[in-house]
Amino acid sequence: MRRDWWKWFLGIWMTLMILGAFLYTPVAKGLGETTRVLYFHVPAAWVATLSFLISAVYSIRYLQKQQIQYDVWAASSAQIGFIFTILATVTGSIWAKEIWHSYWNWDPRETSIFVLLLIYAAYFALRSAIEDTNQKARLAAVYSILAFVTVPFLVFVIPRIYDSLHPDPLINPEVKIKMDPRMLRVFLGSLFGFTLLFYWMLRIKTDIEFLKLKLTKRM
Amino acid sequence: MNPRKYGLEESVWTLLVKSNIIFQKDFHLEFRTRYAINAIILFAVISLTAVSFSVGPIQLEPPIQSAMLWVIIFFSAMSGLSHIFVREEEQQTSDTLRLVAPPTAIFLGKWGFNVVLLFSLEIIIIPLYIALLNVEVQGMSAFLLIIVLGSVGLASIGTIMAAIVAQASTRGALFAVLSFPLSIPVLRSAIQGTWTAIQGGGVAQCLADIQLLFSFTVVILTSSILLFEFIWRK
């Protein structure tokens, strides 16, 4: 079997999910056709969080081992995660315009994704401000870990101050899944597809970075 | 000299003594030039006057009053707190400092200096703020406690971020960019707590904010002490 069979599989899978999102699933009560953003917005937000976590984990490993490949993983994960964070922000904002009648109103979810954007932006600004590779890796890793330490406080502090209007189909106080089974199927499938897509993008990004490293070493 | 081994052999007492020496050194250096203290206080006074001037005779509501206070304190902190490490790099004294003291003592000494710097700013700015914006603080003890905790939190973030930006090329702008996302929990709960205190809330009413400020400061300070060695070592 070919080694990249899963890439073909992912292509077909995502096509099925897109078709499923528009043709197969019913709409939720009160949300109308905008329900369908669920299958793209929530997986994007999930990947944004996941990539932030991966970046922090690789930052810790970089500080332990001082090997440059961990830094490449941490930085690449942050870069891919940044794209998904923007996607989640934009899709969420368009959805908010339709349902809440404003693109931005500092709902807790909007605040937390905005802080995530800020952290990523600061991380890239820091990386671009340092010349030396090892020093860049070290300082960026420290910043990434410190930013990660802050996140639980944001999760705790922000909802205490504002009430959220954000629909919570999966993460609610009763921890019950209240979705229609057809919706749930497509949603979980899309979540899986997005995660695999993220993994693929991350591999391409790290491969490019490793090739760049090899080239600079040869020169 | 292996810094890790050196750090292990230190007892807590000698560590504190060494931190105190670093603190004294920075304190004396600062009073020779008065660079940071002038920058931070003038910045705070100017922003306070700007707020007061633009507001004019309008009486601000407590939520806006407390938000304004923390915006002023945050930006003043951003203008002065990075100086503590940037100075070592600019005057090329950091390598000597690496030789004479363990990293943790350096961090604690510099953190102490930044805390004192923010406190001396507030001794001047808080009476001016109360006078210029016509604030009637009803719960004074809670108000002061939140100011103290919030400043210690901001100083902790400022110190570790100063250590990072001191080694980067664009320092001025980067410092605020790096510090802001981490300061959001401090700012949010400090603003909330100050608001409650101005309206007459005691320590009990602000307890949630006080707990959050305290625990966040402890967490940031602990992780900073653990991570500082990685920033400092070359």
Side-chain angles (χ1 to χ4, degrees):
Chain A
M1 196 181 262
R2 291 175 57 173
R3 266 181 65 222
D4 58 351
W5 62 271
W6 61 274
K7 294 175 185 169
W8 293 98
F9 164 74
L10 181 64
I12 298 162
W13 183 264
M14 289 301 273
T15 319
L16 280 177
M17 287 310 132
I18 293 168
L19 288 175
F22 285 101
L23 304 174
Y24 173 67
T25 57
V27 296
K29 210 193 282 174
L31 294 177
E33 287 298 318
T34 63
T35 318
R36 306 195 192 284
V37 81
L38 165 78
Y39 312 108
F40 309 103
H41 167 72
V42 180
W46 149 252
V47 169
T49 322
L50 180 72
S51 60
F52 186 51
L53 174 73
I54 292 175
S55 186
V57 169
Y58 275 108
S59 297
I60 294 173
R61 287 180 72 177
Y62 176 79
L63 289 186
Q64 285 171 337
K65 301 270 163 74
Q66 311 279 331
Q67 280 165 343
I68 200 73
Q69 71 259 32
Y70 293 124
D71 178 58
V72 169
W73 277 96
S76 308
S77 179
Q79 279 171 11
I80 309 287
F82 190 57
I83 300 171
F84 280 94
T85 314
I86 291 174
L87 280 178
T89 314
V90 171
T91 50
S93 182
I94 294 169
W95 178 85
K97 177 68 185 170
E98 198 53 44
I99 296 292
W100 300 336
H101 304 293
S102 76
Y103 286 109
W104 203 263
N105 61 1
W106 297 109
D107 189 80
R109 294 305 181 87
E110 287 175 342
T111 311
S112 47
I113 200 96
F114 183 71
V115 175
L116 196 60
L117 272 175
L118 276 181
I119 290 175
Y120 274 136
Y123 179 79
F124 298 135
L126 176 64
R127 290 189 73 89
S128 62
I130 309 164
E131 299 279 318
D132 181 70
T133 322
N134 287 320
Q135 199 173 4
K136 182 196 287 184
R138 224 175 46 225
L139 297 181
V142 170
Y143 187 71
S144 181
I145 295 166
L146 278 173
F148 192 70
V149 164
T150 317
V151 169
F153 286 93
L154 289 169
V155 172
F156 174 69
V157 70
I158 289 169
R160 215 165 49 77
I161 293 162
Y162 313 102
D163 287 322
S164 181
L165 298 169
H166 195 280
D168 276 326
L170 274 182
I171 313 151
N172 52 37
E174 301 104 57
V175 203
K176 268 189 213 147
I177 297 170
K178 289 186 286 194
M179 260 191 251
D180 182 274
R182 281 178 292 171
M183 283 169 78
L184 190 66
R185 246 170 263 156
V186 177
F187 173 66
L188 292 179
S190 180
L191 213 57
F192 171 74
F194 265 75
T195 313
L196 203 59
L197 182 69
F198 165 68
Y199 174 72
W200 187 4
M201 289 170 81
L202 186 59
R203 285 302 301 270
I204 294 173
K205 181 73 196 158
T206 49
D207 284 349
I208 293 171
E209 292 300 318
F210 285 134
L211 283 176
K212 269 190 201 161
L213 274 179
K214 255 186 202 163
L215 275 176
T216 42
K217 255 179 211 165
R218 201 177 290 168
M219 278 192 285
Chain B
M1 184 165 62
N2 181 353
R4 192 173 283 275
K5 194 181 158 208
Y6 191 65
L8 271 179
E9 281 164 7
E10 295 283 319
S11 72
V12 175
W13 178 246
T14 46
L15 187 70
L16 287 180
V17 169
K18 281 190 171 154
S19 314
N20 187 36
I21 294 170
I22 301 280
F23 172 77
Q24 298 273 341
K25 177 210 88 132
D26 280 321
F27 197 76
H28 284 298
L29 265 180
E30 176 58 37
F31 272 82
R32 221 176 275 162
T33 60
R34 286 183 293 277
Y35 175 90
I37 193 95
N38 279 341
I40 200 169
I41 287 176
L42 286 178
F43 193 97
V45 170
I46 287 167
S47 29
L48 180 62
T49 329
V51 170
S52 170
F53 184 71
S54 11
V55 169
I58 304 162
Q59 175 68 36
L60 293 179
E61 295 294 310
I64 302 176
Q65 284 175 338
S66 74
M68 280 305 168
L69 174 65
W70 283 99
V71 167
I72 292 167
I73 292 178
F74 176 74
F75 279 107
S76 319
M78 288 304 105
S79 74
L81 291 188
S82 67
H83 188 61
I84 191 87
F85 278 107
V86 171
R87 179 176 58 206
E88 301 286 353
E89 297 295 329
E90 275 173 359
Q91 299 176 348
Q92 295 166 355
T93 48
S94 58
D95 287 328
T96 322
L97 199 60
R98 279 191 184 88
L99 289 177
V100 296
T104 311
I106 294 170
F107 180 78
L108 286 177
K110 302 225 175 242
W111 172 74
F113 178 81
N114 268 350
V115 170
V116 170
L117 186 64
L118 264 192
F119 282 171
S120 30
L121 162 80
E122 276 148 10
I123 288 171
I124 296 174
I125 206 73
I126 301 286
L128 275 178
Y129 159 80
I130 289 175
L132 280 178
L133 291 187
N134 197 18
V135 187
E136 276 170 36
V137 185
Q138 269 139 29
M140 199 42 136
S141 55
F143 179 77
L144 289 180
L145 185 62
I146 282 171
I147 301 273
V148 166
L149 282 174
S151 331
V152 176
L154 279 184
S156 313
I157 295 164
T159 312
I160 190 78
M161 289 303 136
I164 292 178
V165 287
Q167 306 204 17
S169 52
T170 49
R171 285 157 187 165
L174 197 59
F175 184 55
V177 170
L178 290 184
S179 307
F180 182 61
L182 303 193
S183 310
I184 288 173
V186 173
L187 290 178
R188 237 4 291 199
S189 40
I191 289 171
Q192 185 81 8
T194 312
W195 171 13
T196 321
I198 289 176
Q199 287 179 322
V203 176
Q205 276 85 7
C206 311
L207 195 63
D209 297 305
I210 291 169
Q211 281 169 336
L212 196 124
L213 281 174
F214 182 76
S215 51
F216 183 72
T217 306
V218 170
V219 167
I220 282 288
L221 204 56
T222 319
S223 31
S224 299
I225 289 171
L226 289 172
L227 291 169
F228 180 68
E229 210 187 304
F230 294 106
I231 303 172
W232 188 239
R233 167 174 90 195
K234 278 221 163 146

